[in-house]
Amino acid sequence: MSTTKALSLLVFILFVSLVHSSDQCPINSIYQFGDSISDTGNLIRNGPASSPTPKPLPQREHNVFVNFGVSGSTALNSSFFSERNLHVPATNTPLSMQLAWFKGHLRSTCHGSSSDCLKHSLFMVGEIGGNDYNYGFFQGKPMEEIRSYIPHVVGAITAAAREVIRAGAVNVVVPGNFPVGCFPIYLTSFPVKDTKDYDDNGCLTHLNEFAMDHNNQLQEAIASLRKEFPDVAIVYGDYYNAFQYVLRSERFDKSVALKSCCGTGGAYNYDGKRPYGAVGVPVCQNPHKFISWDGVHLTQKAYRFMSKFLNNQILSQIKCTRA
Ligand SMILES: *[C@@H]1O[C@H](CO)[C@@H](O)[C@H](O)[C@H]1NC(C)=O
């Protein structure tokens, strides 16, 4: 699931919106850290066990989108998982490694003070952390044990935000986790018998509560960061409620809202043994009707709606330094 080849365009849509709004607020570059939610090809480009350099995409005259996100990446270092007998792929590119790439990139592209180079930039520190929990859930760790990872994951995300701020970032978005209990992969993998354990939308309550637990701790950490750096805009990216907004929207037929577009079989059109990309699994014909693209990632249409919700929040909070 973590190595899916799906290209996720949420961040790209945010980027286009921000560049369009640049008359009001001169943001000219975005630096993205993350996992498959933002990866538009880094995992495939890097291949296994290489030491890659990120590819800035797309390069316009003054607008730059530098994407360090890699599918399957975790907020925590791989050692955290091996110490707990959890397997993470050799391609895992933890946040600490993405930060090292960022610093190398900055050294090679910024020839003055890094604060000057970064004052018109927006930093997306995530979404990341979802995989840290996925590796636990899908390798059979009990919920309470996985819950104990949350402070570590939040600590790693906060530490990354602090590092980019120290490098000169003045606009930092830190997204939370999705309500993963509404995702076909979880609905299929962790079914429960009692209908009370599903919410009104048909999502798994205990998994959404887990995501909320992460998001609440993350928001508390962001509140402390704001006190630490009062001159920096540190914005919580509310992916949880942005997704709920999509789920409630009239644009998607309720009968397919929790189903994967690409996939085969089962109540959610998702089969972990035959996921999207496996031989014989069809590519879906009508992604505009679906929220979930492959059971794990969303369709461009869903991301477009999410970005509407998010742009309002993010644009109203970022700093518009004109100098
Ligand atoms: C994670 O790994 C990086 C690079 O090896 C290291 O600098 C950092 O201290 C590690 N972080 C933790 C929390 O162990």
Side-chain angles (χ1 to χ4, degrees):
M1 127 222 59
S2 53
T3 55
T4 173
K5 294 174 184 130
L7 302 185
S8 300
L9 294 174
L10 173 60
V11 172
F12 184 71
I13 294 168
L14 280 170
F15 176 70
V16 170
S17 310
L18 282 162
V19 168
H20 283 173
S21 71
S22 61
D23 293 345
Q24 295 89 48
C25 196
I27 292 286
N28 58 22
S29 52
I30 295 188
Y31 294 89
Q32 170 73 48
F33 301 87
D35 55 24
S36 60
I37 301 301
S38 53
D39 186 359
T40 51
N42 283 340
L43 178 70
I44 292 168
R45 187 172 178 272
N46 297 347
S50 66
S51 53
T53 46
K55 186 182 188 181
L57 288 170
Q59 275 278 13
R60 298 202 207 168
E61 208 175 335
H62 298 294
N63 300 324
V64 182
F65 176 37
V66 191
N67 189 357
F68 302 99
V70 182
S71 295
S73 289
T74 52
L76 291 162
N77 284 349
S78 298
S79 57
F80 179 89
F81 304 97
S82 54
E83 281 159 15
R84 286 157 181 80
N85 293 318
L86 284 170
H87 172 75
V88 299
T91 51
N92 186 27
T93 311
L95 207 38
S96 62
M97 197 181 288
Q98 296 184 27
L99 277 170
W101 290 353
F102 163 68
K103 288 176 188 165
H105 178 80
L106 196 60
R107 276 194 297 275
S108 65
T109 54
C110 174
H111 305 295
S113 93
S114 67
S115 314
D116 277 343
C117 293
L118 299 176
K119 68 184 173 190
H120 295 308
S121 301
L122 180 77
F123 282 77
M124 299 289 300
V125 183
E127 178 280 328
I128 191 148
N131 286 321
D132 297 61
Y133 308 126
N134 285 343
Y135 291 126
F137 282 119
F138 289 93
Q139 291 175 50
K141 294 282 186 190
M143 172 72 102
E144 285 324 302
E145 186 176 335
I146 302 169
R147 205 180 289 282
S148 74
Y149 304 168
I150 295 177
H152 299 275
V153 172
V154 167
I157 297 170
T158 316
R162 193 179 282 115
E163 283 207 44
V164 298
I165 291 168
R166 291 202 173 125
V170 290
N171 287 303
V172 181
V173 178
V174 185
N177 205 347
F178 291 86
V180 289
C182 305
F183 284 20
I185 183 173
Y186 280 93
L187 285 158
T188 305
S189 307
F190 306 106
V192 282
K193 292 240 168 56
D194 196 332
T195 51
K196 286 203 308 293
D197 297 328
Y198 293 88
D199 69 13
D200 296 345
N201 292 314
C203 306
L204 288 162
T205 308
H206 70 296
L207 287 170
N208 281 0
E209 282 172 358
F210 181 88
M212 279 306 301
D213 203 347
H214 166 89
N215 290 345
N216 289 335
Q217 293 190 40
L218 185 63
Q219 287 175 85
E220 283 170 24
I222 290 171
S224 320
L225 263 189
R226 287 184 186 131
K227 291 200 183 108
E228 201 178 327
F229 301 102
D231 299 329
V232 178
I234 309 169
V235 182
Y236 172 63
D238 193 353
Y239 287 15
Y240 188 101
N241 284 303
F243 181 90
Q244 297 285 6
Y245 164 80
V246 175
L247 201 56
R248 283 192 303 268
S249 118
E250 303 290 311
R251 308 277 181 139
F252 296 94
D253 191 311
K254 293 285 169 273
S255 67
V256 297
L258 300 179
K259 285 190 179 167
S260 174
C261 187
C262 300
T264 176
Y268 304 100
N269 198 34
Y270 181 87
D271 177 351
K273 295 196 186 71
R274 297 180 69 205
Y276 172 60
V279 175
V281 177
V283 176
C284 73
Q285 298 301 312
N286 48 359
H288 60 283
K289 293 205 167 117
F290 284 79
I291 295 174
S292 182
W293 165 246
D294 60 356
V296 186
H297 308 90
L298 311 188
T299 58
Q300 291 185 40
K301 175 109 178 259
Y303 283 141
R304 187 173 300 281
F305 278 94
M306 273 186 69
S307 70
K308 271 189 193 174
F309 179 97
L310 290 164
N311 279 340
N312 288 337
Q313 294 190 337
I314 293 172
L315 291 174
S316 66
Q317 291 181 66
I318 64 175
K319 278 199 194 318
C320 300
T321 318
R322 273 158 207 291

